[in-house]
Amino acid sequence: MTALHVILFGMFGLAVGSFLNVCIYRLPRRESVNWPASHCTACNRPLGWYENVPLVSWLALRGRCRTCQQPISPMYPIVEAITGVVFLTAYEMYGLSPLLAVRIAFACAMIVLFAIDLRHRILPNVITVPGIVVGFAAALWLPPGWQSSLIGLAVGGGVLFVIGEVYYRTRGVEGMGMGDVKMLAMIGAFLGWPLMLLTLILASFSGAIFGVAMIVSGRGGAKAALPFGTFLAVGALVSAAAGQPIVDWYLGFYR
Ligand SMILES: [Zn+2]
């Protein structure tokens, strides 16, 4: 990959990240993602192109709207930067290939679900349900292959569904939403069952550690904990980027 390729592909990633921000803001509000053009969420003034440049505009405006002076969330440049890094990492891993497009689409969905679950505590069906279908369809031709994809989506959805049911029957409160069930099914469909299980393990451990840290630091009890979909998204991105050696080692170890 030449330096020019890196710069161009990274900039493409930043631009896509900018579009993901639109999805993150509008999908939970059931607004169209392509109309109207970007506007300040506080004063509704439409943004000029120079206020819409990924990363650069937020930094140049010092995180405030030019007219109403309301702060612009740092979530916007963070999502753009993460998307840029995801594009470069995926390019490095897969080269220009069909799998690159599939894995980038998957990663973008995870970034959107991460942010929406964090802010609104929902995981929109409009992402997870088509995600299950697209992930399985891609696996008919591409890694992880349709068997691993099918087992991944069935077990991924099934495990969380059962955990949720048991939790509900024994504690009488909803512990696991159907959104989490569909999201892990989607992760299984795209990554296959071994990386799906690794995602679940990573998400559960990091969620538990984070929850204990919140309680110990006195910032609230279990209710204040972050939504599980947020941890699933991070676990899925880590598994997709770095999980295969761990899975190979584990499966080889016990063969
Ligand atoms: Zn404004």
Side-chain angles (χ1 to χ4, degrees), residues 197-216:
L197 284 183
L198 183 63
T199 299
L200 181 59
I201 291 164
L202 289 174
S204 305
F205 270 105
S206 53
I209 290 167
F210 193 90
V212 169
M214 292 291 273
I215 293 166
V216 168

Side-chain angles (χ1 to χ4, degrees), residues 1-245:
M1 177 153 71
T2 67
L4 183 65
H5 276 130
V6 174
I7 293 167
L8 286 178
F9 207 66
M11 284 170 70
F12 181 43
L14 292 178
V16 171
S18 189
F19 174 70
L20 298 186
N21 275 322
V22 175
C23 297
I24 290 164
Y25 185 82
R26 294 189 186 180
L27 283 181
R29 294 173 173 83
R30 297 183 181 277
E31 296 174 5
S32 162
V33 294
N34 49 41
W35 187 91
S38 298
H39 50 265
C40 171
T41 57
C43 68
N44 268 328
R45 180 179 58 80
L47 300 182
W49 66 268
Y50 52 90
E51 293 169 290
N52 239 335
V53 182
L55 280 185
V56 179
S57 291
W58 191 88
L59 293 171
L61 295 166
R62 297 206 180 86
R64 284 184 185 281
C65 171
R66 213 160 43 83
T67 39
C68 72
Q69 299 298 319
Q70 286 301 305
I72 306 164
S73 169
M75 178 83 97
Y76 293 103
I78 290 170
V79 163
E80 286 157 1
I82 289 172
T83 311
V85 170
V86 159
F87 268 60
L88 291 180
T89 309
Y91 192 106
E92 181 73 28
M93 287 178 74
Y94 308 112
L96 271 187
S97 65
L99 191 57
L100 175 69
V102 171
R103 288 293 158 92
I104 280 183
F106 173 71
C108 287
M110 289 300 116
I111 292 169
V112 171
L113 290 174
F114 170 92
I116 292 180
D117 205 21
L118 191 60
R119 275 190 181 172
H120 303 278
R121 314 221 156 200
I122 52 167
L123 295 163
N125 282 334
V126 73
I127 298 173
T128 54
V129 174
I132 295 169
V133 177
V134 171
F136 179 68
L140 292 172
W141 294 279
L142 297 169
W146 72 269
Q147 294 97 333
S148 182
S149 174
L150 188 61
I151 296 169
L153 82 84
V155 173
V159 161
L160 284 193
F161 183 77
V162 169
I163 290 174
E165 279 296 296
V166 169
Y167 199 86
Y168 184 71
R169 300 267 163 87
T170 53
R171 305 277 295 272
V173 282
E174 195 118 352
M176 198 66 66
M178 283 306 288
D180 300 302
V181 170
K182 282 172 266 186
M183 183 174 175
L184 193 60
M186 173 184 174
I187 292 167
F190 269 95
L191 299 184
W193 69 265
L195 288 178
M196 180 279 295
L197 284 183
L198 183 63
T199 299
L200 181 59
I201 291 164
L202 289 174
S204 305
F205 270 105
S206 53
I209 290 167
F210 193 90
V212 169
M214 292 291 273
I215 293 166
V216 168
S217 68
R219 290 187 200 174
K223 291 271 180 223
L226 291 180
F228 194 53
T230 297
F231 292 102
L232 282 178
V234 176
L237 289 178
V238 171
S239 297
Q244 201 57 50

